[in-house]
């Protein structure tokens, strides 16, 4: 026991006697003991940290934009000068270190052609050059998780790259879409799976993404909360994409709201006897390519636009008076789906080519006095209506499913699907909507050729792509996986790998990730690309952007 704490509690220490030394000869020994214990504690902490890193959690850095914008590699950051929307764009470095990570300069050193994904405003040339470059996100990975449970479809996984021939030392991060003993094909931007070895297109079924994954994969088309202030543009003045199609009662620019600072952000409807319809005009601002797989992050390279029909419409709806319906419409291909909201009931309807509406489902609903958050979406051939966070109506596979054979024919014929339509109608009521936004789903591309580890193109179509079906269908073995990047246009993923794995005890055809190459599941962004506390070129981004710390979905 330390003699300095040996006096009983509540008793004063004994006074020193004159001429008697009060020095404590064991003090130097105790200080040496404290130093020794501190060193031992530090060593134990380091040992535990190394064990934890080796067997439980390890940190990785995202080097490229193949998973953007879910996870960011080296990138540039922007705030739209017109609408204020914050977004990122890719930065490609010509130099890499010994481990293959890009060497990032303090500033870009060149101009970038950057368009806002929300309103299409192009960043002015003088503002788009020599801007700060940010490192990629730093993430935590649960190592060896898959020793205890099987990887799940849509997990974001880290693995040793089969494309890194012959060393297999480079770490890759992608989203897992194919599991052992499955066959996979990509059609119309979606993932279709069949039992292993399948060769009949009708055996393939679309794979729905879980809600938490889907939430991470929505890409903005237009969010009316970020309403542009009307800066001049090379292609003319920005136009509100929501416009009145027919009828009367809608007010999209309320002068009374100007005094409140919310002009054009709140749409009102006031018509007690009839109705009116507003629609999203895809031609109003073509510079951000509505209803396509265009991604503002990708500022370089060729791009062949693809039509995306998987959409989400979100709004806050407040009814003040009246008993008429509010109807939301989303079309995809030949089908139009309608969510109808009345004071007592919500219904989901489907309209075909013959314009006949058929009820799919209905449910009672009690409206309060305040706004109701409404989300209406058609994604992965599943239509759903969510009110205040609760899904109240949805289609079943028996009610709505893809015609896979027709999708394959459309691919082979290079048929372009019709562009989707989005409408909002109101009738016999006084109401308003706010926080109106429109998003589209991720789109996996399926045209192109495979690439060798020396970046040479081959004549072989991408794996899981439809050309010469079923020749390029990916058939996975008992311990093999198929992975894709969220940024499909610029992801070097399993679709394009051209070389087989040939080791002494392992032989795997290209396009597959063997289970022994899997390192773990990415689960948290702990250092989101870095933040500069002082806007000075020589000061590095030494602190994380805490607001962007997030779990990986």
């Amino acid at each position: 026991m330390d003699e300095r704490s040996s006096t009983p509690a509540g008793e004063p220490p004994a006074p020193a006697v004159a001429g008697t030394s009060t020095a404590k000869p064991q003090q130097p020994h105790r200080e040496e003991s404290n130093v020794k214990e501190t060193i031992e504690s530090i060593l134990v902490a380091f040992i535990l940290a190394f064990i934890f890193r080796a067997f439980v959690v390890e940190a990785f850095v995202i080097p490229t934009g193949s998973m953007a914008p879910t996870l960011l590699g080296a990138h540039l950051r922007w705030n739209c000068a017109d609408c204020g929307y914050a977004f990122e764009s890719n930065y490609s470095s010509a130099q890499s270190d010994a481990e293959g990570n890009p060497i990032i300069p303090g500033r870009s050193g060149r101009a970038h052609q950057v368009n806002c994904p929300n309103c299409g405003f192009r960043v002015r040339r003088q503002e788009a050059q020599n801007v700060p470059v940010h490192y990629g996100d730093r993430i935590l990975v649960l190592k060896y998780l898959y020793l205890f449970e099987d990887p799940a479809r849509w997990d974001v996984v880290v693995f040793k790259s089969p494309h890194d021939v012959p060393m297999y030392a480079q770490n890759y991060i992608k989203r897992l879409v194919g599991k052992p003993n499955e066959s996979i094909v990509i059609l119309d931007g979606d993932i279709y799976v069949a039992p292993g070895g399948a060769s009949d297109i009708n055996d393939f079924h679309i794979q729905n993404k879980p809600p938490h994954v889907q939430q991470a994969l929505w890409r903005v088309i237009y969010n009316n909360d970020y309403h542009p202030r009307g800066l001049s543009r090379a292609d003319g003045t920005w136009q509100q994409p929501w416009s009145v199609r027919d009828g009367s009662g809608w007010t999209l620019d309320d002068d009374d709201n100007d005094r409140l600072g919310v002009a054009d952000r709140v749409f009102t409807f006031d018509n007690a006897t009839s109705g009116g319809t507003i629609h999203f005009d895809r031609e109003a601002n073509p510079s951000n390519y509505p209803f396509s797989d265009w991604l503002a992050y990708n500022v370089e390279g060729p791009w062949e636009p693809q039509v995306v029909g998987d959409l989400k419409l979100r709004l806050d709806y407040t009814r003040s008076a009246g008993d008429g319906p509010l109807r939301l419409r989303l079309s995809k291909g030949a089908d139009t789906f309608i969510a109808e909201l009345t004071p007592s009931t919500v219904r989901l309807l489907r309209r075909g080519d013959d314009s006949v509406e058929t009820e799919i489902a209905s449910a009672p609903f009690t409206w309060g006095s305040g706004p109701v958050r409404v989300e209406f979406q058609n994604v992965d051939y599943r239509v759903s209506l969510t009110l205040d966070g609760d899904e109240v109506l949805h289609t079943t596979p028996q009610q709505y499913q893809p015609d896979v054979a027709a999708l394959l024919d459309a691919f082979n014929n290079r048929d372009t699907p019709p562009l989707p339509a989005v409408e909002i109608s109101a009738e016999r009521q006084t109401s308003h909507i706010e926080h109106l936004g429109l998003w589209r789903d991720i789109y996996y591309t399926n045209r192109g050729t495979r690439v060798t580890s020396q970046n040479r193109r081959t004549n072989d179509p991408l794996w899981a792509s439809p050309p010469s079906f079923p020749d390029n269908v990916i058939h996975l073995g008992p311990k093999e996986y198929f992975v894709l990047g969220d940024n499909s246009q610029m992801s070097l993923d399993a679709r394009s790998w051209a070389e087989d794995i040939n080791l002494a005890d392992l032989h795997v055809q290209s396009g597959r990730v063997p289970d022994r190459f899997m390192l773990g599941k990415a689960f948290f962004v702990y250092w989101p690309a870095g933040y500069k506390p002082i806007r000075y070129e020589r000061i590095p981004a030494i602190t994380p952007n805490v607001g962007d710390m997030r779990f990986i979905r």
Side-chain angles (χ1 to χ4, degrees), residues 63 73-75 91-93 95 101-107 132-136:
H75 64 279
Y91 179 83
S92 298
S93 176
Q95 295 179 311
N101 295 315
I103 298 175
I104 307 302
R107 297 207 167 241
V133 180
H134 296 266
Y135 280 88

Side-chain angles (χ1 to χ4, degrees), residues 6 48 66 71 80 82 86 111 224 252 292 399 466 503 530 534 546 548:
S6 60
L48 291 176
S66 68
L71 297 171
C80 178
D82 203 6
N224 200 52
L252 306 186
S292 78
Q399 295 169 329
L503 298 173
I534 302 175
V546 177
D548 282 341

Side-chain angles (χ1 to χ4, degrees), residues 293-343:
D293 61 336
W294 176 78
L295 198 62
Y297 190 89
N298 300 337
V299 295
E300 299 173 351
W303 168 67
E304 180 182 351
Q306 304 296 324
V307 174
V308 181
D310 286 8
L311 305 175
K312 177 176 75 169
L313 179 66
R314 186 206 68 189
L315 55 95
D316 284 6
Y317 171 59
T318 304
R319 179 192 294 263
S320 304
D323 60 357
L326 179 79
R327 290 163 64 93
L328 314 178
R329 297 185 185 91
L330 295 176
S331 74
K332 179 177 181 179
D335 293 299
T336 297
F337 290 90
I338 303 166
E340 183 181 86
L341 294 75
T342 70

Side-chain angles (χ1 to χ4, degrees), residues 92-272:
S92 298
S93 176
Q95 295 179 311
S96 301
D97 60 22
E99 297 180 353
N101 295 315
I103 298 175
I104 307 302
R107 297 207 167 241
S108 63
R110 62 180 187 270
H112 296 260
Q113 182 173 311
V114 181
N115 283 39
C116 172
N118 185 61
C119 72
F121 183 80
R122 177 170 294 179
V123 178
R124 293 181 173 89
R125 182 175 179 84
Q126 61 269 28
E127 299 172 359
Q129 58 187 356
N130 200 31
V131 296
V133 180
H134 296 266
Y135 280 88
D137 290 331
R138 295 180 182 272
I139 66 171
L140 296 178
V141 176
L142 288 171
K143 300 184 68 176
Y144 305 114
L145 172 67
Y146 297 139
L147 292 177
F148 305 99
E149 63 180 53
D150 293 332
R153 197 186 322 277
W154 310 115
D155 279 357
V156 177
V157 297
V158 175
F159 54 94
K160 292 297 180 183
S161 170
H163 189 66
D164 181 29
V165 178
M167 301 302 294
Y168 309 115
Q170 185 70 37
N171 296 325
Y172 271 23
I173 181 167
K174 307 291 178 186
R175 193 174 294 276
L176 189 149
V177 301
K179 301 190 296 182
N181 300 313
E182 291 182 341
S183 297
I184 298 99
V185 68
I186 302 171
L187 282 170
D188 194 29
D190 295 320
I191 305 299
Y192 289 79
V193 171
S199 58
D200 186 339
I201 190 62
N202 292 303
D203 291 334
F204 287 80
H205 299 280
I206 194 168
Q207 300 301 298
N208 299 98
K209 297 179 284 293
H212 68 277
V213 173
Q214 184 61 62
Q215 189 61 34
L217 297 179
W218 289 116
R219 307 294 183 239
V220 69
I221 294 177
Y222 177 64
N223 186 343
N224 200 52
D225 284 347
Y226 295 88
H227 189 281
R229 53 184 177 151
L231 296 181
S232 61
R233 305 179 179 218
D235 55 352
T237 306
W238 179 86
Q239 301 293 322
Q240 167 63 265
W242 290 100
S243 60
V244 177
R245 165 161 285 174
D246 54 49
S248 62
W250 283 105
T251 302
L252 306 186
D253 186 0
D254 190 349
D255 291 336
D256 291 337
N257 281 330
D258 281 336
R259 295 190 295 271
L260 303 177
V262 292
D264 297 320
R265 291 177 174 83
V266 179
F267 297 169
T268 61
F269 181 82
D270 189 6
N271 191 327

Side-chain angles (χ1 to χ4, degrees), residues 184-502:
I184 298 99
V185 68
I186 302 171
L187 282 170
D188 194 29
D190 295 320
I191 305 299
Y192 289 79
V193 171
S199 58
D200 186 339
I201 190 62
N202 292 303
D203 291 334
F204 287 80
H205 299 280
I206 194 168
Q207 300 301 298
N208 299 98
K209 297 179 284 293
H212 68 277
V213 173
Q214 184 61 62
Q215 189 61 34
L217 297 179
W218 289 116
R219 307 294 183 239
V220 69
I221 294 177
Y222 177 64
N223 186 343
N224 200 52
D225 284 347
Y226 295 88
H227 189 281
R229 53 184 177 151
L231 296 181
S232 61
R233 305 179 179 218
D235 55 352
T237 306
W238 179 86
Q239 301 293 322
Q240 167 63 265
W242 290 100
S243 60
V244 177
R245 165 161 285 174
D246 54 49
S248 62
W250 283 105
T251 302
L252 306 186
D253 186 0
D254 190 349
D255 291 336
D256 291 337
N257 281 330
D258 281 336
R259 295 190 295 271
L260 303 177
V262 292
D264 297 320
R265 291 177 174 83
V266 179
F267 297 169
T268 61
F269 181 82
D270 189 6
N271 191 327
T273 58
S274 60
T277 300
I278 61 175
H279 76 116
F280 188 88
D281 182 2
R282 56 182 176 262
E283 302 298 333
N285 305 285
S287 56
N288 61 346
Y289 309 98
F291 305 135
S292 78
D293 61 336
W294 176 78
L295 198 62
Y297 190 89
N298 300 337
V299 295
E300 299 173 351
W303 168 67
E304 180 182 351
Q306 304 296 324
V307 174
V308 181
D310 286 8
L311 305 175
K312 177 176 75 169
L313 179 66
R314 186 206 68 189
L315 55 95
D316 284 6
Y317 171 59
T318 304
R319 179 192 294 263
S320 304
D323 60 357
L326 179 79
R327 290 163 64 93
L328 314 178
R329 297 185 185 91
L330 295 176
S331 74
K332 179 177 181 179
D335 293 299
T336 297
F337 290 90
I338 303 166
E340 183 181 86
L341 294 75
T342 70
S344 59
T345 308
V346 292
R347 297 199 301 161
L348 185 60
L349 305 102
R350 181 176 183 175
R351 178 192 297 166
D353 287 335
D354 55 4
S355 298
V356 175
E357 295 182 1
T358 303
E359 181 179 295
I360 296 175
S362 64
F365 189 80
T366 302
W367 298 86
S369 58
V372 175
R373 171 59 57 90
V374 181
E375 293 187 357
F376 184 39
Q377 64 185 40
N378 182 352
V379 60
D380 299 336
Y381 286 87
R382 185 180 188 272
V383 180
S384 64
L385 176 66
T386 299
L387 302 178
D388 281 340
D390 295 323
E391 186 179 89
V392 294
L393 299 173
H394 65 85
T395 60
T396 66
Q398 292 72 32
Q399 295 169 329
Y400 181 45
Q401 59 181 316
D403 185 338
V404 191
L407 291 174
L408 179 60
D409 289 341
F411 174 88
N412 290 328
N413 296 331
R414 285 189 170 267
D415 294 338
T416 301
L419 288 167
V422 184
E423 298 178 352
I424 302 174
S425 298
E427 186 178 351
R428 304 191 318 277
Q429 61 182 276
T430 300
S431 60
H432 68 265
I433 60 177
E434 53 191 326
H435 305 303
L436 176 61
L438 184 62
W439 286 263
R440 58 97 174 168
D441 188 23
I442 188 175
Y443 188 97
Y444 293 110
T445 58
N446 57 2
R447 295 191 186 275
T449 56
R450 298 174 211 167
V451 184
T452 69
S453 57
Q454 291 78 35
N455 291 324
R456 295 173 182 167
R457 290 280 175 185
T458 70
N459 294 322
D460 299 313
L462 297 175
W463 284 115
S465 63
S468 304
F469 180 90
D471 292 351
N472 302 296
V473 170
I474 196 87
H475 301 292
L476 299 174
K479 297 182 178 181
E480 296 173 353
Y481 298 91
F482 189 65
V483 295
L484 299 176
D486 286 358
N487 187 355
S488 193
Q489 296 172 25
M490 62 176 291
S491 177
L492 182 61
D493 52 39
R495 295 170 303 168
S496 57
W497 298 338
E499 294 162 316
D500 299 346
I501 298 175
N502 287 302

